[in-house]
Structures are given as structure tokens and as C-alpha cells.
């Protein structure tokens, strides 16, 4: 049997409960492509009414086949396919209700489901990339765990998921007997990466209601237990994708990370505005890479200028919650999976992040008391 036939047979065993048939008979699978070295790619037409776990089911069915080295599932909403060209001839006048239906959005965005077991949800965001969101997310999560809280961490950066690496984790999560995903765990923090679920290079679905549903369902499918804090390491930027992520995960508050540079604070300002638009309170500003301590003199060197974090905080009427110094051990710890807060708690940067964790707790308590 050829690999494509084997794939077709395997997918023929994956059921779509909504349609009470398998995904092949339901014509949900298109464009199966294979390479000689066992790479497989196909399109799954996933209707927003379908169970989003089908993405995982089809992937698992194919991954198990002998000779398959890689599986890429391109998810597409069948209702968002290109419309068929109009037939030639004179168009009949359209009834007003038909016209309204045509103009209405084809798929309504699903209302996010509250997940109280995640506890308080904090988005770690920035306008600009590379300012230290992932670094702060990881070290802050560990600092909160060390304060005795139960902490979950989600790497929501599907384009560059690097949190597992920063936490020293390489394995894929497993599934328990109740078919729930067991989060990975390191340094007392439970971790999951959206990269486990969503393929790269899918900007179209990343924005749409389907992806919101995927994330919502994915979060429900993970066996988190009861958490106190859930940290979301956001992808860089302030566009639609970030906005729908904030809305889908029902973020309770946000932290904005910036470096002291003007370009970074300008982007961070857009980040603050994004959260304001969706009425998510911003806890405050965190300035990262604030200075570097000259090892010979012990004096701080402002590598990226100074005062940017405070200027931004004043401009938007928020507090500057922390200034994290540069420390080569942070970068090194990120690359080797040994976060600074865990391995060198007495380093100045670790102390700043531990103090930040306490301020986050206070800020979240204050927000909870207000609502
Ligand atoms: N305070 C610091 N001292 C030294 N290096 C740092 C510090 N903060 C971050 N870094 C390093 O800077 C780089 C970028 O940090 P990080 O990946 O956390 O940023 P990011 O905002 O998550 O980036 P992206 O937008 O790509 O997701 C990493 O190599 C990290 O180790
Ligand atoms: Mg990052």
C-alpha cells in the first residue's frame, strides 16, 4: 500500500462526531501530499461547529504510521473558501434579506468559555519583539511558584515558541487516560505551548474564529488542575492576532515589557492602547535590559539609554513595576534551560523579578477586589 493510501485509510478511522461519520467520508481532508522522506501535509476543512480536537486526532492518526517523519495539518474553514465565480448572465435583483445575509460575517466569533481553574490570567506583552517577554514570563512564573502559588505558563507565540527550551523541556506533552493533555512541568511551573497545537505559517486561521475556538478548546483539554496564576507569553506585536488571543483567553490583566529605548517604548504604548480597547487592565510597565553593571567598577552602564520605562509609565498613568538589569547569565540560562530566578536567586536580576512577582500578586488582588 502506498503511503497516501495508508494515510487515507488511517484518516478513514477518525470520526467527526457532529456528522456521525469519518473525516474522509465527510470530505474534510484535501490535498494530501507526501515526500520520499516521510513528510506528510494535508488540508483539514474544519467547520467552526466541529470539534477542534479533530486537528489533534487526524495528526495522531497519521503520525503513528510507519515511515511518517513529519505531519503538517493545514486547517481551513470551509465557509471561508473563495466563493465560486458568479455565472455569466444578467443578475437578478437580490432580496434585501439575502443581501444582508451576504454582507454579514460568515462565521460569528465564538464567545470564549471561562476557565476558572486557570486562576488569574496575566498576559505578558510588548509592542516590539525581542524585549524580553519570554524571559520575564518564565522567570516571573518561577518566582510566583516559589512564593507558593500554583502557576501555569502558556507559550502563545506560535511563530517562535521558545518557552519549552527556556525551561529545559524538549519532549511533547502526553495524554492521560481521560484524554486530557498533561502539561509539561519544570521548576514548579506547568507549561504548555500553542506550538504543540497550531502549525506555523497559518496566518489566515490564526486570526479567525476557528483559532479562537482551537485555543479555547485546547486550554480546556489540558489537565491543569486548579491554578492560582496563568501566565500567557504573548507573541510580539499589537495586531488582530494578539487581540483575539487576549479575548479568547479571557485575560484578567496585562504586563507591558519594554526596553529603555524610545523605539521600544513607542511600541509599548501601542500595546497599552490595545489592552485599553478591550478593557483589560494593565498592571504596569516592566523595563528590561535597564542597565549593565560594569564588572570592573560595579557602576551601571545604560546600554540602551535610560528613563524610557519611567517616561512611558508616566505618559500612560501606570506604574513602573520593575527595572531588570542586563545579565549575561539570563541569556545563557535561556539557552540552556536554566532560568536565572531558579538557578541564581541571589543575582540582582532575580531579586528584581521576585519583587516584581510580589507586586503582580498585589496588583491582581486589587483588580479582583474592584471587579
Ligand atoms: N535582562 C536581560 N539580560 C540579558 N539578556 C536578556 C535579558 N532579557 C532578555 N535577554 C535576552 O534577550 C533575548 C530576547 O529575549 P526574549 O526571547 O525573552 O524576548 P521576547 O520579547 O520574548 O522576544 P520575541 O518577541 O521574539 O518573543 C534572549 O536571548 C534573552 O536571553
Ligand atoms: Mg518571546
Amino acid at each position: 500500500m502506498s503511503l497516501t493510501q495508508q494515510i487515507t485509510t488511517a484518516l478513514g478511522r477518525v470520526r467527526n462526531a457532529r456528522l456521525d461519520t469519518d473525516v474522509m467520508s465527510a470530505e474534510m481532508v484535501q490535498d494530501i501530499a507526501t515526500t520520499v522522506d516521510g513528510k506528510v501535509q494535508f488540508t483539514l476543512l474544519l467547520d467552526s461547529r466541529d470539534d477542534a480536537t479533530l486537528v489533534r486526532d487526524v495528526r495522531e492518526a497519521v503520525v503513528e504510521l510507519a515511515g511518517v517523519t513529519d505531519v503538517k495539518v493545514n486547517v481551513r474553514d470551509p465557509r471561508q473558501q473563495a466563493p465560486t465565480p458568479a455565472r455569466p448572465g444578467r443578475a437578478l435583483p437580490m432580496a434585501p434579506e439575502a443581501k444582508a445575509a451576504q454582507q454579514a460575517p460568515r462565521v460569528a466569533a465564538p464567545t470564549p468559555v471561562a476557565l476558572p481553574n486557570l486562576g488569574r490570567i496575566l498576559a505578558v506583552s510588548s509592542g516590539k519583539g525581542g524585549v524580553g517577554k519570554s524571559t520575564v514570563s518564565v522567570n516571573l512564573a518561577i518566582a510566583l511558584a516559589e512564593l507558593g502559588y500554583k502557576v501555569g505558563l502558556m507559550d502563545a507565540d506560535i511563530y517562535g515558541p521558545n518557552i519549552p527550551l527556556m525551561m529545559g523541556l524538549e519532549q511533547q506533552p502526553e495524554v492521560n487516560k481521560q484524554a486530557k493533555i498533561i502539561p509539561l512541568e519544570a521548576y514548579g511551573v506547568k507549561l504548555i505551548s500553542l506550538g504543540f497545537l497550531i502549525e506555523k505559517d497559518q496566518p489566515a486561521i490564526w486570526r479567525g474564529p476557528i483559532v479562537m475556538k482551537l485555543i479555547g478548546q485546547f486550554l480546556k483539554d489540558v489537565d491543569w488542575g486548579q491554578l492560582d496564576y496563568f501566565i500567557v507569553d504573548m507573541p510580539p506585536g499589537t495586531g488582530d492576532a494578539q487581540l483575539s488571543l487576549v479575548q479568547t483567553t479571557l485575560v484578567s490583566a496585562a504586563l507591558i515589557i519594554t526596553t529603555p529605548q524610545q523605539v521600544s517604548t513607542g511600541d509599548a504604548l501601542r500595546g497599552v492602547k490595545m489592552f485599553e480597547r478591550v478593557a483589560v487592565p494593565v498592571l504596569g510597565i516592566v523595563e528590561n535590559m535597564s542597565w549593565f553593571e560594569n564588572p570592573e567598577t560595579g557602576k551601571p552602564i545604560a546600554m540602551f539609554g535610560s528613563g524610557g520605562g519611567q517616561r512611558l509609565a508616566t505618559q500612560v498613568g501606570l506604574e513602573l513595576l520593575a527595572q531588570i538589569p542586563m545579565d549575561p547569565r539570563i541569556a545563557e540560562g535561556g539557552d540552556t534551560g536554566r532560568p536565572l530566578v531558579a538557578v541564581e536567586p541571589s543575582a540582582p536580576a532575580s531579586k528584581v523579578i521576585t519583587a516584581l512577582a510580589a507586586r503582580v500578586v498585589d496588583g491582581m488582588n486589587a483588580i479582583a477586589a474592584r471587579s
Side-chain angles (χ1 to χ4, degrees):
M1 223 197 309
S2 76
L3 184 54
T4 308
Q5 284 167 328
Q6 288 179 51
I7 294 167
T8 317
T9 310
L11 291 176
R13 287 194 288 265
V14 178
R15 286 196 71 72
N16 179 335
R18 180 178 70 92
L19 301 172
D20 196 26
T21 184
D22 67 273
V23 295
M24 290 307 296
S25 310
E27 296 182 348
M28 291 175 70
V29 179
Q30 285 182 348
D31 310 327
I32 300 177
T34 59
T35 62
V36 279
D37 56 346
K39 291 200 175 99
V40 179
Q41 186 172 333
F42 57 89
T43 300
L44 181 73
L45 297 176
L46 189 75
D47 190 292
S48 60
R49 290 163 300 178
D50 287 328
D51 203 334
T53 48
L54 275 173
V55 182
R56 200 183 64 208
D57 297 346
V58 296
R59 157 192 282 288
E60 278 173 3
V62 177
V63 157
E64 281 170 3
L65 297 173
V68 169
T69 54
D70 186 48
V71 179
K72 184 166 174 193
V73 186
N74 299 310
V75 182
R76 225 173 51 207
D77 184 344
R79 288 187 284 186
Q80 284 179 342
Q81 272 182 319
T84 41
R87 273 194 227 123
R90 217 163 65 93
L92 290 169
M94 203 184 253
E97 59 274 20
K99 212 171 192 171
Q102 204 180 44
Q103 281 160 358
R106 259 170 288 189
V107 189
T111 318
V113 188
L115 294 168
N117 65 313
L118 295 186
R120 293 170 178 173
I121 305 180
L122 178 72
V124 177
S125 187
S126 75
K128 191 168 173 276
V131 297
K133 288 177 296 299
S134 303
T135 302
V136 172
S137 299
V138 162
N139 284 284
L140 177 65
I142 296 171
L144 285 167
E146 284 176 357
L147 289 175
Y149 296 104
K150 294 202 165 46
V151 185
L153 174 61
M154 178 168 81
D155 185 352
D157 191 348
I158 54 159
Y159 299 113
N162 47 11
I163 294 251
L165 178 77
M166 288 175 137
M167 296 280 274
L169 297 164
E170 279 167 16
Q171 68 273 40
Q172 288 273 325
E174 289 178 6
V175 174
N176 70 13
K177 287 203 183 77
Q178 290 79 40
K180 288 229 170 192
I181 303 164
I182 308 166
L184 301 175
E185 196 163 343
Y187 305 105
V189 172
K190 289 183 178 167
L191 161 82
I192 213 82
S193 175
L194 275 190
F196 295 144
L197 175 83
I198 299 167
E199 307 287 345
K200 290 180 187 176
D201 315 321
Q202 293 198 13
I205 85 137
W206 180 226
R207 273 158 212 257
I210 288 268
V211 81
M212 294 178 65
K213 187 178 156 144
L214 279 173
I215 297 170
Q217 202 159 32
F218 178 60
L219 285 175
K220 251 194 314 195
D221 277 349
V222 177
D223 187 15
W224 294 109
Q226 179 64 52
L227 301 175
D228 299 311
Y229 287 97
F230 188 71
I231 313 270
V232 183
D233 176 28
M234 298 279 291
T238 49
D240 290 350
Q242 286 74 10
L243 206 58
S244 51
L245 190 61
V246 170
Q247 290 169 311
T248 315
T249 43
L250 287 173
V251 165
S252 15
L255 270 187
I256 305 286
I257 317 294
T258 182
T259 65
Q261 280 170 300
Q262 195 81 45
V263 278
S264 172
T265 56
D267 287 329
L269 180 62
R270 275 191 285 286
V272 174
K273 297 259 179 260
M274 174 180 85
F275 287 102
E276 275 175 4
R277 280 219 306 278
V278 286
V280 169
V282 179
L283 284 184
I285 309 292
V286 173
E287 187 186 80
N288 186 29
M289 310 193 198
S290 297
W291 57 78
F292 178 69
E293 199 179 280
N294 184 332
E296 275 159 29
T297 63
K299 289 219 173 97
I301 308 170
M303 307 271 285
F304 300 117
S306 60
Q310 186 57 61
R311 263 198 310 277
L312 172 71
T314 310
Q315 189 180 354
V316 291
L318 290 167
E319 261 189 282
L320 177 64
L321 295 175
Q323 288 182 291
I324 306 170
M326 289 201 77
D327 187 329
R329 290 172 296 182
I330 289 191
E332 197 187 300
D335 291 345
T336 55
R338 303 178 75 237
L340 195 71
V341 164
V343 298
E344 302 221 29
S346 60
S350 297
K351 286 186 178 164
V352 171
I353 296 172
T354 303
L356 172 66
R359 299 193 76 174
V360 164
V361 170
D362 290 345
M364 294 295 253
N365 282 340
I367 287 169
R370 280 208 303 268
S371 54

